[in-house]
Amino acid sequence: MIALRQLPTSLDFPHISLLHAICGLASLYSSIITDPKLDRARANAAEGLFGPSIHGPLEPTKDEGKNFFPKTLFDVKGAWDEGFGIAHIRLASATLRLSVRGGDRLLQILQAAIICAWYTYSMGMTIGVYTWMGTITKLVGPLGIYASEGFEPLSRLPSNMLFLFGKPRTPVEAETIRYPLPASSARSTLINSPSRNVFWIAYVTERVYNAGTAWPLTISDEDISQFLPCRFSDFMSGEHVPTHNRQRLFTENMLFTHPTLTTDSWTLYIKASILISRVRSFNSRYRISVASKGSSISVLSFVSPADSEEFRQLDQTIAAFTRNIPRAFRDPVETTVDPLLYTAHLLPHVAMIQLHDPHAKPDSPNDHSAMQMLAATRAILDLIYKLCGTTYDLQYMDHSCSVGWFMAGAAIIRFLKAKMRAKDKDEVARLEQELGIVKFMLKNLGDRTIIGYRQIIVLEDIYRVEIEGHGRKMATAPLATDQRADPDNLMFGNVQ
């Protein structure tokens, strides 16, 4: 924001793509900005907001109704008809593509792409988020911000030729971040930009915003040697924090030990996203791993992944992380709500559900995966209850918390089906009420974003497939304008 004081012609002035992205995201948080197409998108949220192309005409020479892909900024000048926020994201996308071709201020381009991914997630576009993550990770690699000094790839090239920014920054440089422009630039200048924080934001964006999918990750944990960031308060104040004891992804017991000088809600959020990363990697690579070891046992045989040592270690790691959260950070909802800390508490339970969901047998009362999955679901519900007891505006939460609420709802439907088969009326009534609470929270979030509505529709589809064959219909959630703190609002979803 300080750079905005510079002249627009200055190389120190923020890149136009970054400014457009900020304006687009800011529209979600302004009550005076309304996008004319959002109501229609809510009504059809399962299909997403953006189509595969832009519908013309956006300039006088275009044929009426013709679909085309924008190639220049001029092609999207008519995007304002779609609304303030959407128009700015489209303009950010167009200017971003043009700038990447010339290598213009790529770190700021990376920041713009992260913001666009944030906006796209809030609009409920799963494929759009995944596409933006491709852009983000394609910039992280060449810039080299995932690596730190002393952990360069093995190469005959000089270290200053490995990445677009030259050799990996020293620990102090990566925190203060002053990168010189290329020698070919019109003038020599220094760009202040938090490269280490930018990298970790990119990392958690991919892990968390795509947590509801089974698609492969594009940034591998095994390639990352970057230090974890300092506390956000130290970063904002410019306080120097020694790096000799700073943790990395491969630091022993880094998920269980939390040094006081480098631990806050932000670093706990990152560590919680690492749990998501490890579970997703296990789920996507397990069968490949078994086959690559040359085992005579068929991958599709009766041997369960839940019996593997790696599975047990992940199960224990998630539980240990939750137990070892420092005392000062154990309650994300006190006199005020800490959105980052709330999500950091939510993500381990999401990881636990993702780990056990493929193997759980809700019909079996002694099944370990079912018990772990149900415990994680109830832990998410406890976090929901805490938030319901406040008047905090869900718009200011990290919107990725909707993933945790959605996954809890999907898990509840599985157990609901099992209890219906067992004709356990008391437990059925309890699960119906809990499912209603989940929908209630998503409905409140969906009052200002698309993601809440989209996930309600997906939950209804799951319910229709799993439950309605038993002659039941899903209860309707209350309006998002209802008062969340009113206990009566938590009692909808009557058994029919």
Side-chain angles (χ1 to χ4, degrees):
M1 290 298 107
I2 295 178
L4 287 173
R5 298 175 182 175
Q6 302 293 328
L7 292 174
T9 55
S10 170
L11 289 176
D12 293 332
F13 192 78
H15 194 281
I16 187 173
S17 180
L18 180 58
L19 293 176
H20 278 306
I22 292 172
C23 288
L25 183 63
S27 69
L28 295 178
Y29 299 91
S30 174
S31 59
I32 64 173
I33 295 177
T34 59
D35 285 348
K37 292 192 176 182
L38 290 188
D39 290 337
R40 189 178 72 183
R42 286 190 179 94
N44 196 23
E47 293 186 7
L49 182 60
F50 303 148
S53 60
I54 293 180
H55 295 269
L58 297 185
E59 59 171 291
T61 60
K62 297 295 180 182
D63 295 330
E64 182 72 26
K66 182 179 178 182
N67 295 344
F68 67 99
F69 189 83
K71 296 181 180 179
T72 68
L73 184 58
F74 182 70
D75 288 337
V76 296
K77 69 175 185 178
W80 294 104
D81 295 337
E82 297 180 298
F84 182 89
I86 301 172
H88 273 292
I89 295 301
R90 288 202 188 280
L91 292 169
S93 177
T95 54
L96 183 150
R97 288 185 174 89
L98 293 173
S99 298
V100 166
R101 294 177 188 174
D104 180 20
R105 288 169 282 181
L106 292 181
L107 197 62
Q108 292 190 40
I109 293 298
L110 174 57
Q111 292 173 307
I114 291 171
I115 294 173
C116 288
W118 184 350
Y119 180 92
T120 305
Y121 176 84
S122 297
M123 292 295 102
M125 285 195 61
T126 302
I127 299 230
V129 174
Y130 198 70
T131 302
W132 274 113
M133 285 313 310
T135 301
I136 292 169
T137 54
K138 286 175 183 175
L139 288 169
V140 164
L143 293 176
I145 59 176
Y146 67 91
S148 60
E149 187 180 35
F151 292 89
E152 302 91 344
L154 300 178
S155 174
R156 292 186 61 191
L157 291 173
S159 59
N160 62 353
M161 296 178 64
L162 294 176
F163 304 110
L164 295 180
F165 276 163
K167 65 181 181 179
R169 304 291 97 180
T170 66
V172 173
E173 287 174 328
E175 205 107 81
T176 56
I177 338 320
R178 298 180 66 81
Y179 284 120
L181 290 172
S184 59
S185 297
R187 65 182 180 85
S188 176
T189 187
L190 295 174
I191 302 176
N192 293 310
S193 193
S195 70
R196 180 176 295 144
N197 275 290
V198 170
F199 166 72
W200 285 113
I201 293 172
Y203 178 91
V204 301
T205 299
E206 181 184 28
R207 266 59 181 172
V208 177
Y209 283 6
N210 281 317
T213 73
W215 302 336
L217 299 170
T218 53
I219 305 176
S220 173
D221 287 359
E222 296 178 354
D223 295 327
I224 298 170
S225 59
Q226 186 58 267
F227 282 114
L228 289 179
C230 64
R231 293 177 300 187
F232 184 71
S233 59
D234 292 330
F235 175 77
M236 293 301 294
S237 65
E239 185 76 19
H240 172 66
V241 180
T243 57
H244 64 277
N245 287 326
R246 192 74 66 85
Q247 294 176 316
R248 308 177 196 258
L249 271 180
F250 51 81
T251 301
E252 186 178 4
N253 294 326
M254 61 88 64
L255 290 174
F256 315 133
T257 56
H258 309 290
T260 304
L261 291 179
T262 55
T263 297
D264 65 354
S265 301
W266 169 226
T267 55
L268 289 173
Y269 183 106
I270 293 172
K271 291 183 178 183
S273 71
I274 293 170
L275 295 174
I276 298 286
S277 178
R278 292 186 180 182
V279 170
R280 288 187 63 188
S281 296
F282 172 80
N283 287 342
S284 63
R285 297 174 182 173
Y286 175 78
R287 289 175 175 169
I288 298 174
S289 176
V290 171
S292 65
K293 293 177 181 177
S295 173
S296 59
I297 302 175
S298 170
V299 175
L300 301 177
S301 67
F302 61 88
V303 177
S304 172
D307 294 329
S308 67
E309 181 61 28
E310 186 177 0
F311 182 95
R312 287 192 288 268
Q313 288 180 354
L314 281 172
D315 186 28
Q316 295 169 4
T317 298
I318 296 170
F321 174 81
T322 304
R323 289 195 306 269
N324 286 281
I325 292 177
R327 185 180 301 276
F329 300 98
R330 289 184 183 175
D331 191 355
V333 182
E334 293 183 312
T335 55
T336 186
V337 178
D338 184 336
L340 283 180
L341 187 59
Y342 183 92
T343 310
H345 278 261
L346 197 67
L347 292 180
H349 306 305
V350 173
M352 188 68 82
I353 292 175
Q354 286 186 316
L355 181 65
H356 288 278
D357 188 35
H359 320 290
K361 300 174 183 177
D363 294 314
S364 176
N366 297 320
D367 180 70
H368 175 70
S369 286
M371 290 189 291
Q372 292 288 79
M373 188 175 166
L374 183 59
T377 301
R378 294 269 160 80
I380 292 175
L381 285 167
D382 287 341
L383 289 169
I384 289 176
Y385 296 143
K386 288 183 178 181
L387 201 54
C388 283
T390 73
T391 57
Y392 192 81
D393 187 347
L394 297 186
Q395 182 71 3
Y396 300 107
M397 297 292 293
D398 186 328
H399 296 169
S400 64
C401 64
S402 68
V403 172
W405 302 339
F406 168 80
M407 295 191 70
I412 289 171
I413 292 175
R414 286 197 66 186
F415 288 100
L416 182 59
K417 181 179 180 180
K419 296 304 178 182
M420 286 180 179
R421 286 176 175 173
K423 301 186 184 303
D424 187 343
K425 294 183 179 180
D426 291 339
E427 194 63 22
V428 165
R430 178 183 181 183
L431 289 168
E432 286 273 18
Q433 180 180 329
E434 290 173 339
L435 180 58
I437 293 168
V438 170
K439 288 188 63 183
F440 174 67
M441 294 299 288
L442 292 174
K443 186 85 169 178
N444 273 275
L445 183 61
D447 188 38
R448 298 268 293 280
T449 67
I450 303 299
I451 185 62
Y453 281 92
R454 182 184 185 279
Q455 290 172 332
I456 287 176
I457 289 174
V458 176
L459 277 180
E460 289 174 345
D461 287 342
I462 296 172
Y463 189 95
R464 190 174 300 112
V465 171
E466 297 287 344
I467 305 297
E468 288 194 357
H470 293 264
R472 305 177 67 83
K473 293 187 180 296
M474 195 173 200
T476 302
L479 296 176
T481 54
D482 292 347
Q483 177 63 35
R484 290 205 323 274
D486 186 353
D488 292 338
N489 287 333
L490 304 181
M491 301 303 293
F492 66 90
N494 296 327
V495 178
Q496 297 179 1

